[in-house]
Amino acid sequence: MTGLFGQPDPQYIGKRSAAAVETGPPRDDVVQVAVERGVDLVDGLSYLEPPGQRLAVGVRVQVPLGRKDKPTRGVVVARGCEGPAPKRLKAVLRVEPGPGLPEELVELGRWLARYYACPLGVAISAMLPAAVKQGTGGTLRRWVRLAAAREADDSGSLPRRSAQQQKLIEAAGSGDWVELAVLLDRAGVKTAGPAQKLIDNGVLQAEDRPTVRSRLVTDAAAQAERQPAIPVDKLTPGQRQAIERMTGDDAQGFGVHLLHGVTGSGKTEVYLRLIEHALSCRADGGSSDGRLDGAEHPSGGALVLVPEIALTPQTVARFVGRFDRVAVLHSGLSAAQRHAEWRRIHAGEVEIVIGARSAVFAPLPDLRLIVVDEEHDGSYKQDQAPRYHGRDVAIRRAQRLGVPIVLGSATPSLESWARSQTDRSTLHTLPERPSGWKLPKVELVDLAQERRERRGVHMVSRRLERRLREAFAADKQAVLLLNRRGFASYLACPSHACGWQLRCDHCDAAMVFHRDRKVPSGGTARCHHCDARRLVPALCPLCSRRPVLLGEGVQRVEQELETKFPGVATLRMDADTMRRAEDYRRTLDAFGRGEARILLGTQMIAKGLDYPGVSVVGVISADTALQVPDFRSAERTFQLIAQVVGRAGRGHTAGVAVVQTYHPQDPTVGLAAAQDYPAFAERELVSRRRAGLPPAGRMARVVCRHVDEDKASAMAADIAEVCRAVDAQRGLSVEVAGPAPCVLGRVSDHFRFEVRLLAAGGPEAAARLQALLADLRGRVKLVSDAGTAIDVDPVSLM
Ligand code: ADP
Ligand code: ZN
Ligand code: ZN
């Protein structure tokens, strides 16, 4: 293949040339290092070990890279080298202090790089928190205590002690752990030297401990007392059966379990008991597969993944209330906290790790069980390299370790559902809520009819308004969903003939009007793709008419509520009001305390809320996701409606949900309102199979991005051509579609073109896709992830 782009572009440097490497005989003082950045390699690079040192797999190092030998961070991924070693080898520059990546995770990283077609270094790097890699946030403090064994025979054989050493021993007293700084102070010793001698001689035992704790854990601990365990005889029959089947003898070892339970059916209680079971296997004399437990800290732990947004003190409290040693990994942690938590986990000091997507790489030394809650959630997919799916990586990790994994959801992804219909996973169902709790009654409102019968613009229908009034009269609360930010989706000329619309200068997208009382014109226009902002023009630039606002957003609903329910407190929750995880928690807490009657928001309110005071749920528009050009739009619509409808009717009041739609006849809307997931899944799977779309096949996507439109499209054309050639040569039967402009053809002044790859068939389809992508990367050098992004199992197709 010849280069099609003329001048090499910095983001995309033509074809890979086979580098001629001089080689010598194999040698065993060589390690393979996956470097953090700079090279697109499937394997590590070879380096000599520092003289006299043997480096284990997983050790973090710095190595010289490139012509200028720039020190670059990396991780040892293997020892020795396959085949003859390159003749002139550079040596590892530096071995980083502190623990490395466990070998198990290095192996998982190799799989990650292969499966998601990204450089090994990028995959490995994603598994370590930045603060660990950089060695920052070093808030470890040294703790010491008298070593018990030494105390008895301290007279003869040991070296003579200085007066200062003697003082330290006296101050250390009974042998309890004490922070070294405190001990020095107590003993009146000014330098650390004497203490270090005692540590070297084994008189004092030392340990470095993190000093910081996540606030979420502290908050959760405060709440935890209010969350007692549910007694066994109170479990629902569904819960009992699921627990029995998942703790039985058949369920030992690796297995994927899909726990499908309607919203509020008590999935968390099932997780808690499964974790208890998994951890208790240790207590009666080691684990069945013969792994040893550390003596200092009983190891053995469970990993619980939840969507970031569900990481509230409310969720965490349910785990903290049941287990002593819980670590929470969330985006609100400081670098120091993240570092500290990682070390605690690595040292086996933690029984349970709860965290969002990247917690799937938590270095638990003896992982016994993985739980992925809300497994359908799109936030498990990372949108930059490595573009991994947290659930799928979790499944892979469980498989490698030979431990069970539980995927829980009220609205499973069709991928997980389809799998549960085969022998590759087991389905467990919780068909009902705990006794006395009812699923809400659902009322569909036809918005087209509402519009015919009513004057003016109303986002709250008459029926929803009546339900809200009833709820407020009964001292209850309401949750209202509209999955659209801002006030109005478009600002346009009223004249159809003119057709002007305010669009972003940098993207192929309309600008969204956001209300802002501080601005004279009452608001600003914003692009939701590049975040550009501008003042709104008073008149249409083409025909000088006054523009109108079309399409509704949450701010508009908020305004309407102010007029329809004056004096009723509303909390709004969307990406504009919730800037930090902290805001989100504070808002939910305020709502939980009853400080507002209405919680209004975008999809973030649909997840994991559990408030008994809520008796009404309103879906302002069930149609937002239906209009998105994506084969998953029906699935997303179902999930959003079913999840938010499930927020009503917790506690002992039967709730009611009002779902407003222009498509009351749409089967997805109807089935979601009825919370009939199996019927929906069956229907949807038929159409996916017919079209050969996931889960009936596997998809990957390569997106090329460039400021120059021709270059972007030529890049995509070249990639499509290579893909077709590889497919034909190797007979992989992968369908190559494109190049074609992306749905969002331009974002932030970059043109975007894509190539879609579709491999029909069962699980083996993934291997064919992987083979094709590996060859593609061998032939075409994809230097920058921003320039050419490979996305395997894409979740968003924009
Ligand atoms: P899900 O995760 O399935 O939506 P949760 O686990 O949040 O449901 O459970 C909803 C509520 O029901 C929680 O407050 C939980 O404590 C309670 N709960 C769970 N199981 C039972 C039970 N068997 N009896 C009574 N209450 C229960
Ligand atoms: Zn833009
Ligand atoms: Zn006009």
Side-chain angles (χ1 to χ4, degrees):
M1 302 271 311
T2 51
L4 296 179
F5 312 126
Q7 287 299 316
D9 185 282
Q11 287 183 317
Y12 180 83
I13 308 186
K15 302 290 179 290
R16 206 185 265 287
S17 59
V21 185
E22 257 187 283
T23 56
R27 39 196 306 180
D28 69 350
D29 55 350
V30 172
V31 287
Q32 306 294 314
V33 176
V35 292
E36 196 172 86
R37 70 175 81 85
V39 285
D40 175 15
L41 285 177
V42 185
D43 288 308
L45 289 166
S46 298
Y47 286 94
L48 280 175
E49 285 175 311
Q53 274 195 60
R54 284 180 77 76
L55 303 183
V57 168
V59 167
R60 295 177 297 114
V61 292
Q62 283 196 22
V63 293
L65 189 70
R67 226 171 282 157
K68 290 192 177 151
D69 284 348
K70 194 168 169 248
T72 306
R73 279 191 288 263
V75 171
V76 174
V77 291
R79 291 193 45 79
C81 55
E82 275 176 40
K87 241 188 191 147
R88 267 176 306 155
L89 277 178
K90 294 171 189 168
V92 168
L93 293 176
R94 179 183 146 90
V95 179
E96 305 281 10
L101 195 63
E103 194 164 350
E104 170 232 336
L105 289 175
V106 172
E107 291 309 312
L108 187 68
R110 283 181 182 279
W111 172 82
L112 200 76
R114 272 199 312 276
Y115 187 87
Y116 291 104
C118 75
L120 180 61
V122 170
I124 296 281
S125 178
M127 306 174 99
L128 287 164
V132 173
K133 283 183 286 195
Q134 292 154 12
T136 53
T139 47
L140 296 181
R141 297 265 174 80
R142 177 146 281 202
W143 287 63
V144 293
R145 70 169 175 194
L146 276 183
R150 291 278 167 168
E151 234 180 348
D153 60 11
D154 66 345
S155 49
S157 60
L158 290 171
R160 278 190 60 84
R161 291 189 198 119
S162 67
Q164 292 202 321
Q165 288 176 351
Q166 203 54 48
K167 277 192 213 157
L168 283 168
I169 290 170
E170 277 158 27
S174 59
D176 286 341
W177 283 104
V178 54
E179 206 181 315
L180 179 58
V182 175
L183 179 67
L184 293 177
D185 203 40
R186 211 189 272 164
V189 175
K190 293 274 182 311
T191 61
Q196 189 56 47
K197 278 255 167 58
L198 292 175
I199 293 167
D200 293 343
N201 293 337
V203 178
L204 285 180
Q205 193 182 347
E207 199 173 278
D208 291 332
R209 295 186 184 177
T211 54
V212 282
R213 292 219 73 185
S214 156
R215 249 202 64 206
L216 201 49
V217 176
T218 331
D219 290 356
Q223 287 196 7
E225 289 144 66
R226 284 182 268 134
Q227 311 247 354
I230 289 150
V232 183
D233 60 335
K234 291 265 174 60
L235 293 175
T236 66
Q239 284 174 323
R240 206 168 306 162
Q241 202 192 18
I243 292 162
E244 272 165 21
R245 284 172 64 206
M246 282 189 263
T247 53
D249 288 342
D250 309 348
Q252 301 306 311
F254 171 66
V256 181
H257 301 269
L258 178 61
L259 181 61
H260 172 231
V262 295
T263 49
S265 56
K267 291 184 285 296
T268 308
E269 186 60 31
V270 176
Y271 305 150
L272 288 166
R273 285 179 180 273
L274 294 176
I275 295 170
E276 263 164 16
H277 175 82
L279 300 185
S280 70
C281 289
R282 174 193 66 226
D284 39 54
S287 53
S288 48
D289 56 13
R291 273 178 299 197
L292 289 175
D293 293 323
E296 232 356 78
H297 299 287
S299 53
L303 176 60
V304 181
L305 299 182
V306 299
E308 173 75 38
I309 211 94
L311 265 180
T312 59
Q314 206 185 19
T315 313
V316 175
R318 298 172 73 177
F319 291 86
V320 172
R322 209 72 72 86
F323 300 94
D324 294 330
R325 296 174 289 130
V326 178
V328 184
L329 301 176
H330 59 93
S331 65
L333 292 182
S334 66
Q337 285 172 325
R338 196 168 281 276
H339 192 163
E341 292 296 54
W342 192 86
R343 287 219 174 183
R344 287 209 306 143
I345 297 164
H346 191 282
E349 289 176 24
V350 165
E351 286 173 313
I352 299 194
V353 175
I354 312 178
R357 181 178 62 226
S358 64
V360 72
F361 304 123
L364 285 151
D366 183 13
L367 186 53
R368 299 288 175 78
L369 173 71
I370 305 181
V371 172
V372 184
D373 192 25
E374 311 284 3
E375 64 84 29
H376 64 277
D377 198 274
S379 70
Y380 282 122
K381 180 80 160 137
Q382 174 149 299
D383 61 5
Q384 57 189 10
R387 292 186 172 72
Y388 68 92
H389 197 296
R391 172 197 64 221
D392 297 336
V393 175
I395 293 174
R396 187 66 195 189
R397 190 171 178 196
Q399 185 178 27
R400 302 187 59 91
L401 291 173
V403 302
I405 175 166
V406 183
L407 313 177
S409 178
T411 55
S413 62
L414 284 176
E415 282 78 3
S416 296
W417 182 260
R419 191 188 243 260
S420 79
Q421 308 294 301
T422 70
D423 58 7
R424 293 188 303 133
S425 122
T426 317
L427 177 66
H428 308 263
T429 311
L430 305 182
E432 69 218 344
R433 291 180 162 185
S435 54
W437 293 32
K438 295 197 189 70
L439 278 171
K441 182 170 137 237
V442 179
E443 303 175 338
L444 280 182
V445 172
D446 181 351
L447 288 175
Q449 191 186 346
E450 181 83 9
R451 220 168 132 174
R452 281 195 299 275
E453 293 171 2
R454 212 176 173 196
R455 300 180 60 188
V457 180
H458 296 275
M459 267 153 296
V460 176
S461 64
R462 289 162 295 180
R463 179 174 289 268
L464 177 54
E465 192 175 332
R466 191 174 342 123
R467 292 300 183 202
L468 290 173
R469 289 197 193 288
E470 285 165 12
F472 302 152
D475 213 18
K476 291 286 177 188
Q477 292 172 296
V479 168
L480 300 181
L481 169 86
L482 177 62
N483 201 20
R484 270 216 195 108
R485 289 165 52 203
F487 187 88
S489 324
Y490 305 97
L491 190 93
C493 178
S495 153
H496 278 295
C498 169
W500 175 84
Q501 195 186 55
L502 183 62
R503 298 185 70 81
C504 179
D505 290 337
H506 312 282
C507 308
D508 270 354
M511 293 192 93
V512 177
F513 181 77
H514 284 247
R515 186 167 70 149
D516 184 351
R517 291 207 183 89
K518 283 174 271 172
V519 183
S521 53
T524 51
R526 286 200 220 163
C527 173
H528 284 185
H529 303 286
C530 72
D531 215 29
R533 288 158 198 233
R534 53 180 289 181
L535 293 175
V536 296
L539 299 173
C540 169
L542 302 183
C543 70
S544 301
R545 289 185 174 87
R546 263 183 78 84
V548 288
L549 295 171
L550 302 172
E552 66 269 25
V554 277
Q555 285 187 320
R556 199 167 195 162
V557 179
E558 189 179 30
Q559 189 186 52
E560 188 174 318
L561 291 169
E562 282 163 16
T563 45
K564 287 200 160 101
F565 301 95
V568 171
T570 299
L571 287 167
R572 198 182 97 213
M573 208 154 83
D574 55 33
D576 302 304
T577 53
M578 305 291 113
R579 302 204 169 267
R580 293 166 307 147
E582 198 55 28
D583 299 332
Y584 181 77
R585 284 170 205 126
R586 205 174 310 123
T587 307
L588 288 186
D589 283 351
F591 188 64
R593 286 192 302 267
E595 286 169 24
R597 282 264 173 243
I598 305 174
L599 181 65
L600 163 69
T602 54
Q603 57 175 7
M604 43 174 94
I605 61 165
K607 291 172 194 174
L609 302 183
D610 182 13
Y611 294 113
V614 174
S615 70
V616 175
V617 164
V619 179
I620 302 295
S621 168
D623 310 333
T624 50
L626 275 180
Q627 298 152 1
V628 178
D630 183 325
F631 73 90
R632 288 197 180 86
S633 65
E635 184 176 355
R636 296 229 174 85
T637 300
F638 185 93
Q639 287 166 353
L640 195 59
I641 300 175
Q643 291 283 347
V644 73
V645 162
R647 300 300 134 209
R650 304 206 168 203
H652 293 279
T653 20
V656 55
V658 179
V659 177
Q660 309 187 144
T661 173
Y662 280 101
H663 306 281
Q665 307 306 329
D666 187 287
T668 301
V669 174
L671 291 169
Q675 303 236 350
D676 190 349
Y677 177 82
F680 166 75
E682 196 180 322
R683 225 190 108 83
E684 184 67 12
L685 276 178
V686 169
S687 77
R688 299 272 182 98
R689 278 194 202 106
R690 212 175 281 142
L693 287 165
R698 294 303 186 99
M699 187 186 273
R701 196 181 173 228
V702 185
V703 174
C704 301
R705 215 173 141 264
H706 203 286
V707 284
D708 181 335
E709 184 167 12
D710 292 339
K711 281 200 177 143
S713 100
M715 268 153 62
D718 195 29
I719 284 167
E721 193 184 326
V722 173
C723 288
R724 290 199 173 94
V726 172
D727 179 58
Q729 270 167 28
R730 302 192 48 182
L732 295 170
S733 309
V734 173
E735 189 190 318
V736 181
C742 296
V743 174
L744 267 172
R746 190 174 52 118
V747 175
S748 299
D749 295 318
H750 282 72
F751 290 88
R752 301 167 77 240
F753 285 80
E754 68 175 332
V755 177
R756 280 194 200 178
L757 307 172
L758 199 59
E764 42 54 68
R768 286 186 279 126
L769 206 53
Q770 206 175 306
L772 190 148
L773 288 170
D775 270 22
L776 170 70
R777 286 175 64 219
R779 296 197 197 184
V780 180
K781 198 170 180 196
L782 311 170
V783 171
S784 129
D785 182 60
T788 38
I790 299 181
D791 192 356
V792 177
D793 300 334
V795 162
S796 163
L797 296 176
M798 299 298 277

